[in-house]
Amino acid sequence: MSLLILELNMKAVSDRINKLSESQTIAMAKRSRELQAEGKDIISLSLGEPDFNTPDIIKEAAKQAIDDNYSTYTPVSGYLDLREAIAKKFKRDNNLTYTPNQIVASTGAKQSIANVVLSLVNPGDEVILPAPYWVSYYEIIKMADGVPVVIDTNIESDFKITAQQLKGAMTANTKLMIFSSPCNPTGSIYSKSELESLAGIIASKEDFYVIADEIYVHINFVGGHESLAQFDSIYDKVITINGVSKGFAMTGWRLGYIGAAEWIAKACDKIQGQFTSGTCSITQRAVIAAMEIDPKTSEVTSMKDAFKERRDYMINRLNVIEGVVINQPEGAFYVFPNIKALFGKSWEGGKIQTATDLSMYLLEKAEVALVTGEAFGSPECIRISYASSLEVLKEAMDRVEKALKELN
Ligand code: PMP
Ligand code: GLU
């Protein structure tokens, strides 16, 4: 009876939902929790989520906000003093000038990205996505009836696109590009000169915009971050995305934000006013405290240093496993090894033919959850999140190494 109802409801669901794929990062995390609930000793390296606590100064600001009765609806784009604090942060950390009217705070950077895509993309518009890309970009583009145009990259180019590749992918229908630096899932970071050459191409096309997702800005192991919006010729065409989930260990608090041309910020405010209104009032007050933290102070650098130590550990472990090829991630907290040499190998449960087969094999045999590269548009790779303690990573890598040796 209940199955029949479920089936009828599936039919009633809109085409939009039927076309949409479930987020693979979230699906894998969900599967890990289910297996853990069944008593299995699963180590989950699937979700990009810092394992640290939110800094005390931010928590104190939230407690104070509750006591001060910040309990009503907020302006849709966020409190003015929050947007002023974000503007100061953009100037201090990235030398980007945005006024509060150019800033919209949302319920996570995920919503910020969805707001911008829905604000700019008409059905049939092409959106350029350098692959590997973060899972949700592709699906958000589909939701807006846009057409994703994927530019493939590989480990040899450190998974970065060149100006020539960008130019080659552009057509009369190109409206938007979305990329991240530091990159989820590869950890690659674009240098100033690489961004400058992309900026030359971006400037050459009218009505072409770029979402520069900088949410991993504070998890950078090579030094200064370079923002795409720094180039005057394209400042108005770039939407800078950021948020507090990663750098301040605040994934559950839900606050992301944009800096953009005022008309784009207005469009995002309009959508958000119909979908969710302003994000949580308590979170907004707490984020004012987060924005005041200089990223050079220990609240932020201690987490970055721990991630760097883990990155080095993961590289050392992966480098000695036969069939695994890896780049040197410079930021974020993922490794994205190429595992194509393992395709064709077998175990008692079958043959490994794809990255998804390999991730399922590792889930079953090693009880380690990670995410297939197919979810990121790179079917020869797997993504491992190292946002876990060294102790957990050691146990996970022991298991992975053993399971991979057992393939024949
Ligand atoms: N962009 C990238 C590249 C991400 O990895 C994430 C991770 N969640 C997000 C955006 C969204 O972040 P949030 O919604 O938690 O702010
Ligand atoms: N951004 C993280 C990841 O890529 C969190 C999960 C998600 O929002 O997709 O794993």
Side-chain angles (χ1 to χ4, degrees):
M1 173 69 172
S2 58
L3 264 183
L4 183 64
I5 292 171
L6 191 66
E7 206 171 296
L8 288 175
N9 283 346
M10 292 290 278
K11 280 190 187 143
V13 153
S14 69
D15 294 346
R16 182 178 308 108
I17 294 302
N18 278 325
K19 271 195 309 192
L20 191 70
S21 303
E22 195 181 351
S23 163
Q24 289 303 304
T25 47
I26 289 179
M28 206 56 173
K30 190 167 129 199
R31 184 79 194 115
S32 307
R33 280 187 213 115
E34 282 165 5
L35 291 170
Q36 280 160 350
E38 285 169 19
K40 294 219 160 128
D41 179 24
I42 303 290
I43 300 181
S44 181
L45 305 183
S46 54
L47 209 58
E49 168 152 75
D51 56 324
F52 300 106
N53 292 326
T54 304
D56 285 343
I57 192 168
I58 302 174
K59 293 197 285 199
E60 289 308 321
K63 289 178 201 165
Q64 189 64 48
I66 294 173
D67 287 342
D68 290 347
N69 295 308
Y70 278 96
S71 50
T72 59
Y73 289 130
T74 77
V76 171
S77 289
Y79 291 119
L80 178 59
D81 53 352
L82 169 69
R83 285 177 290 123
E84 281 167 350
I86 293 172
K88 272 196 199 143
K89 177 240 124 71
F90 267 132
K91 191 75 197 163
R92 180 192 65 209
D93 298 348
N94 313 119
N95 198 23
L96 297 177
T97 306
Y98 292 114
T99 64
N101 289 348
Q102 295 177 271
I103 288 165
V104 179
S106 301
T107 308
K110 203 178 265 186
Q111 188 188 18
S112 304
I113 296 163
N115 281 345
V116 175
V117 173
L118 289 168
S119 292
L120 293 179
V121 173
N122 275 319
D125 282 349
E126 292 174 7
V127 182
I128 294 177
L129 269 188
Y133 45 77
W134 179 49
V135 275
S136 295
Y137 298 158
Y138 198 94
E139 297 303 318
I140 291 172
I141 295 165
K142 271 169 46 188
M143 281 238 271
D145 289 324
V147 181
V149 174
V150 173
I151 305 180
D152 285 320
T153 66
N154 53 37
I155 209 160
E156 284 74 41
S157 61
D158 194 23
F159 299 109
K160 290 187 269 192
I161 59 162
T162 61
Q164 283 73 19
Q165 281 178 301
L166 174 58
K167 198 170 173 192
M170 280 159 60
T171 73
N173 298 324
T174 307
K175 182 71 186 260
L176 187 66
M177 172 165 99
I178 314 180
F179 82 113
S180 60
S181 175
C183 175
N184 176 3
T186 65
S188 303
I189 294 181
Y190 283 83
S191 68
K192 184 169 182 181
S193 65
E194 287 164 343
L195 291 176
E196 195 165 17
S197 63
L198 296 181
I201 305 297
I202 296 161
S204 69
K205 183 165 166 50
E206 229 181 284
D207 204 25
F208 175 39
Y209 304 90
V210 181
I211 293 181
D213 184 346
E214 303 186 351
I215 194 158
Y216 294 96
V217 63
H218 295 321
I219 308 165
N220 175 331
F221 313 130
V222 288
H225 172 80
E226 299 293 343
S227 291
L228 184 67
Q230 71 182 285
F231 304 105
D232 290 345
S233 59
I234 57 165
Y235 169 81
D236 272 342
K237 290 167 161 284
V238 178
I239 301 95
T240 307
I241 302 277
N242 211 322
V244 292
S245 284
K246 315 293 173 174
F248 297 97
M250 295 178 74
T251 47
W253 295 69
R254 309 309 299 135
L255 193 141
Y257 54 89
I258 63 165
E262 200 171 330
W263 64 270
I264 296 176
K266 267 205 174 126
C268 291
D269 178 279
K270 191 172 172 185
I271 291 191
Q272 194 161 293
Q274 296 291 14
F275 272 21
T276 57
S277 295
T279 188
C280 169
S281 54
I282 307 303
T283 295
Q284 290 189 44
R285 301 315 299 169
V287 170
I288 294 175
M291 294 295 101
E292 284 164 3
I293 299 176
D294 188 318
K296 291 186 206 80
T297 55
S298 64
E299 277 93 347
V300 175
T301 55
S302 59
M303 291 193 251
K304 184 182 75 176
D305 294 344
F307 285 130
K308 183 166 183 292
E309 192 183 5
R310 296 166 185 187
R311 187 240 3 214
D312 294 343
Y313 178 76
M314 293 302 280
I315 290 177
N316 288 339
R317 293 295 307 259
L318 288 162
N319 263 336
V320 296
I321 301 179
E322 212 177 306
V324 173
V325 184
I326 182 167
N327 69 327
Q328 168 94 359
E330 296 180 326
F333 36 63
Y334 309 100
V335 278
F336 200 61
N338 183 305
I339 41 78
K340 121 179 130 180
L342 300 173
F343 293 170
K345 297 211 174 229
S346 305
W347 62 298
E348 70 270 17
K351 210 174 197 180
I352 307 290
Q353 273 157 332
T354 63
T356 305
D357 291 346
L358 189 74
S359 56
M360 286 306 157
Y361 169 71
L362 289 172
L363 184 60
E364 169 111 16
K365 201 77 182 169
E367 301 196 326
V368 173
L370 33 82
V371 186
T372 172
E374 282 166 42
F376 306 90
S378 289
E380 295 178 349
C381 299
I382 51 172
R383 189 191 79 172
I384 310 175
S385 163
Y386 56 83
S388 295
S389 71
L390 275 175
E391 217 184 342
V392 170
L393 294 175
K394 180 178 179 312
E395 170 68 19
M397 288 313 298
D398 288 348
R399 293 190 199 178
V400 167
E401 192 169 1
K402 181 165 177 286
L404 293 182
K405 274 197 188 130
E406 281 168 14
L407 286 171
N408 43 68

